[in-house]
Structure formats: C-alpha cells, structure tokens
C-alpha cells in the first residue's frame, strides 16, 4: 500500500514543480520594467535584445542544471540533490532583486535556472522510483500540471500587484 513516504515524495515534487512554473512565469512579467530600469532606457529595441539574451541563458541553464543535478543525484542521493537544486533556484532568484546591471540579472537567471532544471529531473525521478508502476503515467501528468499551477499563481500575483519600473525587484523576492 501507499505510505506517508509516497505522499511526501509526491508533495515535494509537486511543490517543487509548482515553484518552477512560478519561476518561469516570473520573468515575462518582470522583464520589461526590470530591463528598462537596469539599462536606463525606454526604447524596447534594447530591452527586447536583452530579454532574448536572458531567456536564452535561462534555457541553457535549465538544461545544464538537469545534467548537473542529475549527476549529483547519482553521487549524493536524489533527495539531497533535490534540496540543493531548490535552494539554488530560490537563492539566485532572490539575488535577481539586487542586480544593478542587465548582465548581472542574466547571470543570476542562469544560476537560478541550474537549480530549476535540476529540480525538474530529480522531482520526476524520485516519484517514478517511489510510486507503483501502474500509477506513474498519472503522476507524471499531475507533476507536469504543477508547473501550470505555478504559472497561474504568479499571474494572479502579477495581476493583483502590477509590476513597474519602480517596483519590479520585489517580484524576485516572491519567486525566492
């Protein structure tokens, strides 16, 4: 039968993926005002270029994080590695609040994405290793849906508290 451990693993993976979705949905809300502030421009051409760079760096970081934390999971265990991956994306998402230049924001987004990519891989692996085989397809769908819950959560927060050039930094603290 299912034990408390099964449910804890599922809750950890679901919550981790939910916050991954929140993290992914955060930047589209914050990008324009943050980059206008950091670049000291109102011209969307430069903002758009930097937005593209930062999204590319983020995606590369997420892929690299899957490899890095997957490897680490084999070395020190998946639970420890998942905790480190969540700490990584939380810490570096929070650090985005303190960026003074666009390149710093890009660097913090890359480091946050390492953790997020690691959590993607580790969360699913833990659930698939722990739960009975017949439930795995359903659970994979539930975990995948968790990211959408995070997108919805950050959209609601962004709607309730509009992000501007003056206040964009607090959103990264929400993400942390």
């Amino acid at each position: 039968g299912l034990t408390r451990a099964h449910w804890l693993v599922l809750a950890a993976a679901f919550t981790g993926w939910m916050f991954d979705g929140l993290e992914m949905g955060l930047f589209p809300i914050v990008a324009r005002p943050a980059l206008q502030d950091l670049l000291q421009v109102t011209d969307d051409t430069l903002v758009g270029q930097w937005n593209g760079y930062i999204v590319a760096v983020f995606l590369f970081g997420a892929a690299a994080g899957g490899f890095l934390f997957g490897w680490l999971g084999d070395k020190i265990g998946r639970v420890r590695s998942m905790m480190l991956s969540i700490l990584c994306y939380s810490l570096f998402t929070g650090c985005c609040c303190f960026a003074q230049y666009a390149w710093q924001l890009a660097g913090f987004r890359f480091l946050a994405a390492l953790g997020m990519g690691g959590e993607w891989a580790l969360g699913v692996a833990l659930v698939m290793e722990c739960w009975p085989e017949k439930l795995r397809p359903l659970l994979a769908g539930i975990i995948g849906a968790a990211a959408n819950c995070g997108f919805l959560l950050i959209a609601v927060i962004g709607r309730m508290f509009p992000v501007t050039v003056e206040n964009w930094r607090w959103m990264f603290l929400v993400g942390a």
Side-chain angles (χ1 to χ4, degrees):
L2 297 177
T3 66
R4 184 173 178 235
H6 287 96
W7 295 104
L8 287 173
V9 167
L10 181 59
F14 184 92
T15 305
W17 270 63
M18 182 187 73
F19 285 115
D20 288 343
L22 186 142
E23 167 67 26
M24 288 184 294
L26 174 66
F27 198 67
I29 294 171
V30 174
R32 187 169 185 258
L35 290 169
Q36 285 176 331
D37 182 36
L38 294 173
L39 297 168
Q40 295 295 299
V41 298
T42 56
D43 176 32
D44 280 342
T45 302
L46 191 56
V47 167
Q49 288 174 339
W50 270 98
N51 185 30
Y53 299 147
I54 293 172
V55 168
V57 163
F58 183 83
L59 292 173
F60 179 73
F67 286 113
L68 174 67
F69 283 99
W71 171 82
L72 193 61
D74 290 339
K75 299 296 178 196
I76 67 169
R78 297 201 203 302
V79 173
R80 284 188 185 129
S81 296
M82 190 163 101
M83 289 184 334
L84 290 173
S85 72
I86 292 170
L87 176 65
C88 180
Y89 80 69
S90 296
L91 177 68
F92 289 110
T93 296
C95 285
C96 290
C97 171
F98 302 107
Q100 298 300 308
Y101 302 98
W103 65 267
Q104 289 174 337
L105 185 60
F108 289 139
R109 294 294 292 158
F110 172 79
L111 294 170
L114 285 175
M116 194 188 70
E119 200 285 325
W120 283 347
L122 294 165
V124 170
L126 276 169
V127 171
M128 296 304 122
E129 290 172 353
C130 174
W131 279 75
E133 188 173 344
K134 67 180 181 180
L135 295 174
R136 291 176 187 168
L138 172 66
L139 295 172
I142 289 170
I143 293 168
N148 294 321
C149 293
F151 272 109
L152 178 62
L153 180 59
I154 197 65
V156 168
I157 293 168
R159 179 78 173 157
M160 290 173 53
F161 305 99
V163 180
T164 67
V165 173
E166 293 79 28
N167 73 2
W168 62 270
R169 293 177 186 275
W170 70 270
M171 283 292 275
F172 285 111
L173 296 178
V174 170

